[in-house]
Amino acid sequence: MDLQFRHLRQLCVISETGSLNKAATILGLPQPALSRQIRRLEQLFGGALFERDQFGTRPTPLGSAVLEHAASILRSLDDFGEQLRDYRTLRSRTLRIGWAHSVLYEPLLSSLRRLASAERLQIVAPNSTRELLTLLRAGEVDIALRDHATTNGPVPSGDGAITYVPWGESAVLLAVAADRPPATAERLTMADLAGEEWISCTGPDACDEKLRRLCAAYGFVPRITHDIPMSGPRGQVIRHQGCVALTQAHRPPEPGVVYRTVTDLDMTVVHLVGFRGWTADLMPKLVSLLSAALRERAPVTPS
C-alpha cells in the first residue's frame, strides 16, 4: 500500500476527535472502512498508531511521531493549495458566495449587486452550516452567511483561516399554529411550552442537541417529535400537527402559523458574514450595505 495525503488527513482527524466514529462521520466514511484503513497503515508503519480506552482513541508513541510529520506535511500542502486557489481566483475573478439556512440571502445578493464589482457570482447553497464552513475553509467558497445563536456561546470572530464580521441581529420567536393555545395566551414563558411537541432538525449542525441544551436551562426536556430541515415544510407541519418551533423574526410565517414572543427567552441570532482570501477588500463596503439592507427589512411583528 502506498502512503497518500488522504491517509495523513485521516490520522489527523482521528487524533483531533479522539474517536473513530466521529472521525468517520467527518471524513464521510463508514467506521469499519476507516478501521480497516488504519490497520493497513499500522502494517505500513510497523506498529500500532492508536490505542483505545474508556476515554477514547489516543495516539501511541509511534502514532504521535507519525502525526507530527503528517501535520507538517499537510500544513505545507494546504498552504500550497491556498496559494494556488487564490491565484486561480484572481485569474477568474469569480466570487463564490454561500449560505445554508440563512433567510437573509436576499440582502446579501442585493448588496453584492450594489458593490458594482466586476466579479461573476457563483451561488453555493449546501445543506448544513458545517458543510458551508468546510467549503469556506477549503477555499471553495469566498463569502458565507452564518447565523449564530447567542445561547451557543460567544460570537466567533474567526479561527485563523476564516474571519467573521457581524452585520445585524434578529429576535428569536415561537412559531405556533394559529388555533393552538400558545397562539392566544396572554403571556408565554419557556415553562409554558414544556408540554408541547417541538420541531428540530437532525444532521451535521446538531440542532436537536442545541434545543435540548436550551430547554434544559429552563428546567425541561423538549419532546422533539418532528425532524424537518429549515428548507422543508416546517410551517405545514406546525399547522397540521400542532407542534412548535423557534424561528427568526425575519423569516416570514406561513399561512396558519403565528409568531409569539417568549418573555423569558434570552436568545437572539447574530448574523455574520464569513470570508477569506482576496475578498477582505470587499468587506467594509459589503458589511455597510448588509446592515443598511437589514434595517430596511422589517421583521415579523409577533402577535
Side-chain angles (χ1 to χ4, degrees):
M1 179 179 115
D2 294 328
L3 185 64
Q4 300 177 19
F5 289 122
R6 63 185 176 89
H7 299 146
L8 301 182
R9 292 197 188 279
Q10 291 168 355
L11 295 176
C12 289
V13 172
I14 294 171
S15 177
E16 290 168 1
T17 61
S19 164
L20 276 175
N21 287 331
K22 292 180 180 178
T25 299
I26 292 173
L27 294 166
L29 295 172
Q31 192 273 337
L34 181 59
S35 295
R36 289 193 296 271
Q37 185 72 274
I38 297 307
R39 286 196 292 271
R40 287 194 289 268
L41 289 172
E42 288 176 333
Q43 292 174 357
L44 178 66
F45 285 109
L49 299 176
F50 295 97
E51 57 185 3
R52 299 187 192 180
D53 56 27
Q54 67 271 28
F55 300 107
T57 301
R58 297 180 296 177
T60 62
L62 173 60
S64 296
V66 171
L67 284 164
E68 182 177 352
H69 290 288
S72 177
I73 293 170
L74 292 175
R75 279 195 300 269
S76 298
L77 180 64
D78 289 342
D79 288 344
F80 173 73
E82 182 174 349
Q83 293 172 13
L84 181 60
R85 284 189 294 269
D86 287 346
Y87 172 75
R88 288 174 175 171
T89 300
L90 287 171
R91 288 285 301 273
S92 65
R93 301 304 294 187
T94 295
L95 184 60
R96 299 158 299 179
I97 63 172
W99 59 84
H101 305 314
S102 176
V103 71
L104 297 176
Y105 55 85
E106 287 192 44
L108 174 63
L109 293 173
S110 64
S111 297
L112 287 168
R113 194 162 55 244
R114 294 173 64 185
L115 276 178
S117 57
E119 289 81 16
R120 181 177 65 88
L121 293 185
Q122 177 185 347
I123 310 300
V124 181
N127 293 319
S128 70
T129 298
R130 179 174 294 184
E131 182 182 353
L132 173 66
L133 298 183
T134 298
L135 292 173
L136 181 60
R137 185 170 288 107
E140 300 299 325
V141 169
D142 302 306
I143 296 175
L145 290 185
R146 174 184 177 180
D147 291 336
H148 177 80
T150 53
T151 51
N152 292 333
V155 177
S157 59
D159 59 8
I162 303 174
T163 300
Y164 297 111
V165 178
W167 57 275
E169 291 188 9
S170 290
V172 175
L173 305 172
L174 182 78
V176 59
D179 59 356
R180 291 283 298 166
T184 56
E186 182 177 349
R187 179 177 179 271
L188 279 180
T189 66
M190 285 295 289
D192 296 327
L193 304 171
E196 299 294 327
E197 295 184 353
W198 289 79
I199 285 181
S200 183
C201 52
T202 56
D205 291 338
C207 296
D208 52 344
E209 295 177 15
K210 295 173 183 175
L211 178 59
R212 289 189 179 95
R213 288 200 302 269
L214 173 68
C215 293
Y218 293 90
F220 70 94
V221 177
R223 288 192 297 148
I224 301 175
T225 54
H226 308 284
D227 297 310
I228 311 293
M230 289 294 183
S231 58
R234 295 169 70 86
Q236 294 92 322
V237 174
I238 290 173
R239 186 172 71 249
H240 289 289
Q241 300 302 118
C243 50
V244 300
L246 296 178
T247 188
Q248 294 180 30
H250 281 94
R251 188 178 297 275
E254 298 188 37
V257 175
V258 298
Y259 288 176
R260 294 295 312 275
T261 297
V262 182
T263 57
D264 61 344
L265 179 59
D266 184 19
M267 179 182 186
T268 58
V269 170
V270 179
H271 305 297
L272 305 169
V273 58
F275 65 93
R276 51 168 290 133
W278 63 274
T279 57
D281 293 339
L282 302 176
M283 285 304 111
K285 180 64 173 177
L286 178 59
V287 168
S288 177
L289 290 171
L290 282 170
S291 299
L294 188 62
R295 289 193 296 270
E296 296 170 1
R297 183 188 177 105
V300 177
T301 301
S303 54

